[in-house]
Amino acid sequence: ISFNCVDSSLSSLKNCQSYINTGMDIATHVALDLVESFNDAEDVNSMENVMLEYAAMDRELNHYMRAIEETVNQIKRDKPENIPDLKYLVKEKFTALESKNSDSDLQRNEKYVYFKDQLKDMRKQFRLQSDTNDNDAIEQIDEDIAVTQSQVNFICPITQMEMKKPVRNKVCGHSYEENAILKIIQTRKQQRKKVRCPKIGCSHDDVKESDLVPDEALKRAIDSQNKQ
């Protein structure tokens, strides 16, 4: 049995998955734009619903591709004399996978988790600016202190300079200048050694490139502070 057509279909489905990922990236940036512009929470929440819809599409697509792959592998193992009903077998496996769906599946989607983390950080970073508009002159002193403390978080623990392209470690939550941490990882890799998180006091001792994600919220906060 030739599976060339099946392989071609799987390739097309994987392309669809890349479109979903792009859509989730765009939705994340739009949500961060809304927070930065101090838009209503309702507008931001609508983007979260969009993210959940994308996560559901991604889950369904993953289940369908898995159903196809498992069906093909089963046929290759069993080597039946007669050509089986591929459509029926795939649908049967797909239905079984979908029956186990739960809301928690969507909330564990990697890009949705990133969206929630960045949104939380963005709100925290820009809350100071929002509060400044409502504070009296007496409260402004405390506000200035808070801003100064916030600026400390803009400093890379490796270069000791303000970050221009921060990335965050998904494991320990600390951020670094992208080029600086990647250089350390590459050097340690050549030495066959693990990389300890450069943040003082952090116990995480195995920083990996795959654990690093762009810290868009922090970058926006730094850019906004510099504009002011």
Side-chain angles (χ1 to χ4, degrees), residues 24 27-28 47-56 111-112 115:
M24 295 182 89
T28 299
M47 297 314 301
E48 182 172 353
N49 291 332
V50 169
M51 289 294 291
L52 288 171
E53 289 177 11
Y54 272 125
K111 283 191 174 292
Y112 177 75
F115 169 86

Side-chain angles (χ1 to χ4, degrees), residues 27-46:
T28 299
H29 283 287
V30 170
L32 296 181
D33 286 341
L34 291 171
V35 175
E36 189 172 358
S37 304
F38 306 112
N39 283 57
D40 293 337
E42 185 177 345
D43 293 332
V44 179
N45 290 339
S46 68

Side-chain angles (χ1 to χ4, degrees), residues 158-194:
I158 303 170
T159 65
Q160 294 302 309
M161 296 176 65
E162 186 177 87
M163 289 178 273
K164 299 183 183 301
K165 195 174 181 182
V167 290
R168 189 173 66 173
N169 192 321
K170 292 186 292 184
V171 178
C172 63
H174 294 127
S175 297
Y176 336 95
E177 181 64 45
E178 183 179 40
N179 289 337
I181 188 64
L182 289 180
K183 187 175 181 180
I184 291 177
I185 291 174
Q186 185 61 35
T187 300
R188 291 287 184 176
K189 186 177 181 181
Q190 292 173 352
Q191 299 171 345
R192 296 184 179 180
K193 294 181 179 179
K194 292 182 179 181

Side-chain angles (χ1 to χ4, degrees), residues 3 10 80 98 120 180 189 215:
F3 294 102
L10 277 174
E98 286 283 289
K120 180 182 177 181
K189 186 177 181 181
D215 198 334

